[in-house]
Amino acid sequence: RFARARWRADAPCLAAAGLTPERLAALADRAGRLRAAADAAVAQRLAAAISLYPEGYATADRPLLLAPPDEIAIRALARCLATLGGGSYPPAGPALVRLLVRLRQGGAAGHTLAGCLLLERGGKRPHLLICREPGRVTTRLPAAGAETVLWDGRFRVHLPASAGASAAADPPEIARLGPEGRRWLIDPAAPAPALESLPGLWQGAHLLAVPEFASRQTSMTSV
């Protein structure tokens, strides 16, 4: 409401500079078409370059993801980081530009941005690993009062009604698996950083349950 009033107050000065309402409307229309074209190009690049996994990580065909034009590469990176990092908003533009430059330079060192970890992976099929930065996962939610909770902005955890029913001193809670929880998984195919950032149902130091796509070494309930 207030922005509209300010624009109206500035309209005479803008018109004197040639920015009439008609020209501003035409500019906005053109910007909208350019944005739609960029979004379509980003979607095509992500579909071709990115593989997503239920454990909350992605692998990328590095040359394809980072290829010019820069604006498409930057937007594709932003989409990946916003999705895998669980944030409400993508990182700022200058930070994305710096990340793109570093990734194009290569090297084995990992990169972090927007709560995500990006690692170069070699082997038969070299690729870029993008996942949640395990050390940044601090969300701890009580496993009581709701059967479905959004954890770390990334996972919807469905709990049985009895999950939070406990008379113990330590009530169950949902927290990241971390290194301690990861060691209980059976033959995990996902990379260690992604597994450590997964949710688990904990009671004190005891791991009660893991996500349904993971398996534990002992008999337990899945969530």
Side-chain angles (χ1 to χ4, degrees):
R1 182 169 71 251
F2 299 113
R4 184 177 301 171
R6 288 194 298 269
W7 276 90
R8 284 175 177 166
D10 292 338
C13 294
L14 293 171
L19 296 177
T20 63
E22 292 76 17
R23 293 191 70 177
L24 289 172
L27 178 62
D29 183 63
R30 183 183 180 191
R33 293 196 302 272
L34 290 172
R35 178 179 178 180
D39 286 345
V42 169
Q44 291 176 355
R45 179 166 299 194
L46 290 174
I50 296 292
S51 296
L52 284 171
Y53 297 86
E55 293 88 349
Y57 73 99
T59 58
D61 181 317
R62 186 177 173 281
L64 184 55
L65 178 65
L66 305 179
D70 290 357
E71 183 63 23
I72 302 304
I74 290 169
R75 288 175 182 239
L77 274 174
R79 191 82 60 85
C80 291
L81 297 178
T83 299
L84 299 170
S88 300
Y89 302 98
L96 284 166
V97 172
R98 291 192 295 269
L99 176 62
L100 178 63
V101 171
R102 293 198 303 268
L103 289 172
R104 283 177 173 172
Q105 290 172 345
H111 308 279
T112 59
L113 183 63
C116 287
L117 175 65
L118 300 92
L119 294 170
E120 301 280 355
R121 295 293 194 183
K124 294 182 179 180
R125 297 182 60 187
H127 61 272
L128 184 67
L129 169 68
I130 310 173
C131 67
R132 186 76 161 97
E133 188 179 357
R136 296 286 298 274
V137 182
T138 59
T139 304
R140 306 180 73 93
L141 297 177
E147 294 186 14
T148 301
V149 296
L150 178 62
W151 182 84
D152 196 43
R154 299 181 296 137
F155 289 98
R156 292 196 181 277
V157 182
H158 305 277
L159 296 168
S162 59
S166 175
D170 294 321
E173 63 178 359
I174 307 166
R176 75 180 180 106
L177 286 182
E180 179 64 22
R182 178 173 64 87
R183 72 183 183 88
W184 288 99
L185 300 181
I186 299 174
D187 297 327
L195 292 173
E196 291 179 11
S197 67
L198 286 177
L201 183 63
W202 294 86
Q203 187 169 37
H206 181 57
L207 181 62
L208 301 177
V210 296
E212 61 183 4
F213 47 75
S215 299
R216 233 195 82 171
Q217 294 180 16
T218 57
S219 176
M220 65 185 304
T221 303
S222 294
V223 298

